[in-house]
Short mmCIF file of all heavy atoms in Angstrom, two decimals:
data_model
loop_
_atom_site.label_atom_id
_atom_site.label_comp_id
_atom_site.label_asym_id
_atom_site.label_seq_id
_atom_site.Cartn_x
_atom_site.Cartn_y
_atom_site.Cartn_z
N TYR A 981 -5.61 0.68 3.38
CA TYR A 981 -6.92 0.98 2.81
C TYR A 981 -8.01 0.72 3.95
O TYR A 981 -9.09 1.41 3.88
CB TYR A 981 -7.27 0.33 1.56
CG TYR A 981 -6.49 1.09 0.41
CD1 TYR A 981 -5.41 0.44 -0.31
CD2 TYR A 981 -6.87 2.40 0.12
CE1 TYR A 981 -4.80 1.23 -1.30
CE2 TYR A 981 -6.08 3.08 -0.81
CZ TYR A 981 -5.18 2.42 -1.51
OH TYR A 981 -4.48 3.21 -2.53
N ALA A 982 -7.77 -0.27 4.80
CA ALA A 982 -8.85 -0.43 5.85
C ALA A 982 -8.78 0.80 6.64
O ALA A 982 -9.84 1.36 7.11
CB ALA A 982 -8.45 -1.66 6.75
N CYS A 984 -7.92 3.88 5.62
CA CYS A 984 -8.48 5.03 4.80
C CYS A 984 -10.08 4.99 4.81
O CYS A 984 -10.69 6.04 4.82
CB CYS A 984 -8.06 4.85 3.38
SG CYS A 984 -6.35 5.26 3.05
N ARG A 985 -10.53 3.78 4.77
CA ARG A 985 -12.06 3.66 4.74
C ARG A 985 -12.62 4.06 6.00
O ARG A 985 -13.79 4.56 6.10
CB ARG A 985 -12.49 2.18 4.49
CG ARG A 985 -12.22 1.79 3.04
CD ARG A 985 -12.88 0.46 2.62
NE ARG A 985 -12.36 -0.64 3.35
CZ ARG A 985 -11.28 -1.32 2.98
NH1 ARG A 985 -10.53 -0.97 1.81
NH2 ARG A 985 -10.87 -2.38 3.64
N ALA A 991 -11.89 8.91 3.73
CA ALA A 991 -12.90 7.88 3.31
C ALA A 991 -13.80 8.49 2.22
O ALA A 991 -14.11 7.75 1.19
CB ALA A 991 -13.73 7.45 4.48
N PHE A 994 -11.95 8.45 -1.32
CA PHE A 994 -11.82 7.14 -1.92
C PHE A 994 -13.26 6.62 -2.30
O PHE A 994 -13.44 5.97 -3.41
CB PHE A 994 -11.22 6.17 -0.95
CG PHE A 994 -9.70 6.31 -0.95
CD1 PHE A 994 -9.12 7.02 0.12
CD2 PHE A 994 -8.88 5.92 -1.92
CE1 PHE A 994 -7.72 7.21 0.25
CE2 PHE A 994 -7.54 6.02 -1.83
CZ PHE A 994 -6.88 6.76 -0.77
N ALA A 995 -14.29 6.86 -1.47
CA ALA A 995 -15.66 6.34 -1.74
C ALA A 995 -16.10 6.90 -3.07
O ALA A 995 -16.91 6.32 -3.73
CB ALA A 995 -16.53 6.77 -0.60
N VAL A 998 -13.74 4.49 -5.68
CA VAL A 998 -13.41 3.07 -5.57
C VAL A 998 -14.73 2.41 -5.21
O VAL A 998 -15.34 2.59 -4.15
CB VAL A 998 -12.40 2.76 -4.41
CG1 VAL A 998 -12.09 1.24 -4.26
CG2 VAL A 998 -11.13 3.52 -4.64
N THR A 999 -15.17 1.43 -6.06
CA THR A 999 -16.32 0.69 -5.84
C THR A 999 -16.06 -0.75 -5.63
O THR A 999 -16.83 -1.64 -5.06
CB THR A 999 -17.37 0.79 -7.01
OG1 THR A 999 -16.64 0.35 -8.23
CG2 THR A 999 -17.80 2.28 -7.19
N ASP A 1000 -14.83 -1.22 -6.07
CA ASP A 1000 -14.42 -2.65 -5.88
C ASP A 1000 -13.10 -2.57 -5.17
O ASP A 1000 -12.04 -2.45 -5.73
CB ASP A 1000 -14.26 -3.29 -7.26
CG ASP A 1000 -13.84 -4.74 -7.20
OD1 ASP A 1000 -13.49 -5.14 -6.14
OD2 ASP A 1000 -13.96 -5.33 -8.21
N TRP A 1001 -13.17 -2.64 -3.89
CA TRP A 1001 -11.94 -2.56 -2.91
C TRP A 1001 -10.98 -3.63 -3.21
O TRP A 1001 -9.75 -3.37 -3.29
CB TRP A 1001 -12.35 -2.49 -1.55
CG TRP A 1001 -12.78 -1.10 -1.09
CD1 TRP A 1001 -14.01 -0.70 -0.94
CD2 TRP A 1001 -11.90 0.00 -1.00
NE1 TRP A 1001 -14.05 0.75 -0.74
CE2 TRP A 1001 -12.69 1.16 -0.68
CE3 TRP A 1001 -10.48 0.27 -1.08
CZ2 TRP A 1001 -12.21 2.31 -0.41
CZ3 TRP A 1001 -10.06 1.56 -0.80
CH2 TRP A 1001 -10.84 2.63 -0.55
N PRO A 1002 -11.42 -4.93 -3.45
CA PRO A 1002 -10.29 -5.96 -3.70
C PRO A 1002 -9.58 -5.59 -5.05
O PRO A 1002 -8.37 -5.80 -4.98
CB PRO A 1002 -11.18 -7.20 -3.77
CG PRO A 1002 -12.31 -7.04 -2.88
CD PRO A 1002 -12.64 -5.58 -3.09
N ALA A 1003 -10.27 -5.26 -5.99
CA ALA A 1003 -9.55 -4.87 -7.21
C ALA A 1003 -8.67 -3.71 -7.08
O ALA A 1003 -7.57 -3.64 -7.66
CB ALA A 1003 -10.63 -4.60 -8.36
N HIS A 1004 -9.16 -2.66 -6.29
CA HIS A 1004 -8.29 -1.51 -6.16
C HIS A 1004 -7.05 -1.86 -5.39
O HIS A 1004 -5.90 -1.49 -5.71
CB HIS A 1004 -9.08 -0.37 -5.32
CG HIS A 1004 -8.31 0.83 -5.08
ND1 HIS A 1004 -8.02 1.81 -6.08
CD2 HIS A 1004 -7.78 1.34 -3.98
CE1 HIS A 1004 -7.28 2.68 -5.63
NE2 HIS A 1004 -7.09 2.55 -4.31
N GLU A 1005 -7.24 -2.66 -4.31
CA GLU A 1005 -6.00 -3.06 -3.47
C GLU A 1005 -5.02 -3.93 -4.37
O GLU A 1005 -3.92 -3.80 -4.25
CB GLU A 1005 -6.53 -3.81 -2.26
CG GLU A 1005 -7.20 -2.79 -1.26
CD GLU A 1005 -7.69 -3.49 -0.10
OE1 GLU A 1005 -7.34 -4.66 0.26
OE2 GLU A 1005 -8.50 -2.84 0.65
N ALA A 1006 -5.61 -4.82 -5.17
CA ALA A 1006 -4.73 -5.58 -6.12
C ALA A 1006 -3.87 -4.73 -7.01
O ALA A 1006 -2.74 -4.89 -7.19
CB ALA A 1006 -5.56 -6.64 -6.89
N ARG A 1007 -4.59 -3.70 -7.58
CA ARG A 1007 -4.01 -2.79 -8.40
C ARG A 1007 -2.87 -1.93 -7.78
O ARG A 1007 -1.74 -1.73 -8.33
CB ARG A 1007 -4.95 -1.88 -9.12
CG ARG A 1007 -4.47 -0.93 -10.26
CD ARG A 1007 -5.58 -0.10 -10.80
NE ARG A 1007 -5.01 0.83 -11.72
CZ ARG A 1007 -5.26 0.77 -13.03
NH1 ARG A 1007 -6.14 -0.03 -13.56
NH2 ARG A 1007 -4.71 1.62 -13.95
#
Side-chain angles (χ1 to χ4, degrees):
Y981 283 114
C984 285
R985 288 190 296 274
F994 284 102
V998 180
T999 56
D1000 183 345
W1001 280 102
H1004 181 73
E1005 291 176 14
R1007 186 176 178 121

